[in-house]
Amino acid sequence: DSGVTQTPKHLITATGQRVTLRCSPRSGDLSVYWYQQSLDQGLQFLIQYYNGEERAKGNILERFSAQQFPDLHSELNLSSLELGDSALYFCASSSGGTGPNEQFFGPGTRLTVL
Amino acid sequence: AQSVTQLDSQVPVFEEAPVELRCNYSSSVSVYLFWYVQYPNQGLQLLLKYLSGSTLVESINGFEAEFNKSQTSFHLRKPSVHISDTAEYFCAVSGDWKAAGNKLTFGGGTRVLVKP
């Protein structure tokens, strides 16, 4: 158990809908990261937050947004869902914002868009 | 920009045989290198990491990896595998702090299937 929790574990929804994925980092960690794992794209970095502020952005679609709250939990919002958004979404956390911080991964949320 | 190439997408191996998973990276800055393992239907677990110092790093379950700067490689090895090592292994790099924060760039993964 990494100490990072993600809810829900599974999510099935229809095209055009909006969903919210939630992540709680390990106790004391200030950074939260979101990654997408799909069969065709592999593991891709989406976005990083550090202590409530956006720190780095990857290939995140405009339909996707995220935020980190004062209690350090984070939410990833996916809207106008398409079939291609079906993937495993991982959250990870680390203690710092830059430098060689080890990232601890949650169990993931499997999103299926029908 | 950083990139990681894992040369083998699948590696079948017999139990108690050695295994090597190859990883090459590309980066314009100093890097930190990681191997993660993903067991079926689970998240990613850190196997080992190279941050600085000795170029040979070891994990608690018998894996080792060697950082080779001249060949830009970070190959993972285990002298004798067990059935329980069946999993997917990902090589990752970070280091471009200014441009990319602390993000990890992953290779495509190598699926290891250990046969009895």
Side-chain angles (χ1 to χ4, degrees):
Chain A
D1 185 354
S2 67
V4 178
T5 60
Q6 290 187 248
T7 56
K9 199 166 183 177
H10 300 279
L11 200 46
I12 301 174
T13 188
T15 55
Q17 295 298 304
R18 172 190 169 94
V19 297
T20 297
L21 313 183
R22 183 188 167 101
C23 167
S24 292
R26 289 189 325 152
S27 177
D29 282 356
L30 298 179
S31 269
V32 169
Y33 311 78
W34 287 97
Y35 292 87
Q36 180 194 60
Q37 185 179 32
S38 62
L39 284 174
D40 52 345
Q41 300 280 343
L43 266 163
Q44 299 274 323
F45 167 75
L46 295 178
I47 197 163
Q48 176 195 355
Y49 278 82
Y50 174 71
N51 205 20
E53 301 289 326
E54 184 182 301
R55 178 68 182 86
K57 218 168 186 175
N59 295 326
I60 188 167
L61 299 171
E62 284 192 15
R63 300 183 285 110
F64 295 1
S65 64
Q67 54 184 326
Q68 186 179 28
F69 295 87
D71 67 352
L72 301 176
H73 91 270
S74 177
E75 293 181 357
L76 178 67
N77 299 295
L78 315 176
S79 62
S80 303
L81 285 168
E82 302 175 359
L83 295 177
D85 297 326
S86 295
L88 197 48
Y89 291 84
F90 286 111
C91 169
S93 73
S94 71
S95 55
T98 58
N101 293 276
E102 178 178 341
Q103 294 183 28
F104 296 85
F105 282 75
T109 293
R110 184 170 294 280
L111 173 67
T112 302
V113 182
L114 301 175
Chain B
Q2 298 168 159
S3 66
V4 178
T5 302
Q6 290 182 244
L7 296 161
D8 307 295
S9 59
Q10 289 191 72
V11 173
V13 58
F14 286 105
E15 195 173 17
E16 297 183 9
V19 70
E20 179 180 76
L21 308 184
R22 295 177 291 169
C23 171
N24 287 91
Y25 68 90
S26 170
S27 177
S28 57
V29 299
S30 296
V31 296
Y32 303 99
L33 294 154
F34 306 84
W35 276 99
Y36 281 84
V37 58
Q38 185 177 28
Y39 298 103
N41 300 313
Q42 293 189 28
L44 294 155
Q45 299 174 32
L46 182 68
L47 196 55
L48 44 75
K49 60 190 175 189
Y50 170 77
L51 304 181
S52 65
S54 172
T55 57
L56 184 65
V57 290
E58 298 177 354
S59 72
I60 56 172
N61 53 357
F63 283 94
E64 65 178 32
E66 186 158 19
F67 170 55
N68 188 318
K69 190 174 181 179
S70 63
Q71 297 188 6
T72 60
S73 68
F74 190 54
H75 301 332
L76 180 70
R77 301 181 185 93
K78 188 170 185 180
S80 175
V81 296
H82 303 289
I83 295 287
S84 59
D85 293 322
T86 293
E88 189 154 20
Y89 294 78
F90 292 92
C91 182
V93 63
S94 72
D96 192 4
W97 318 129
K98 273 192 172 179
N102 204 29
K103 78 167 191 178
L104 291 171
T105 299
F106 287 91
T110 298
R111 198 175 294 272
V112 173
L113 176 58
V114 181
K115 303 176 183 179

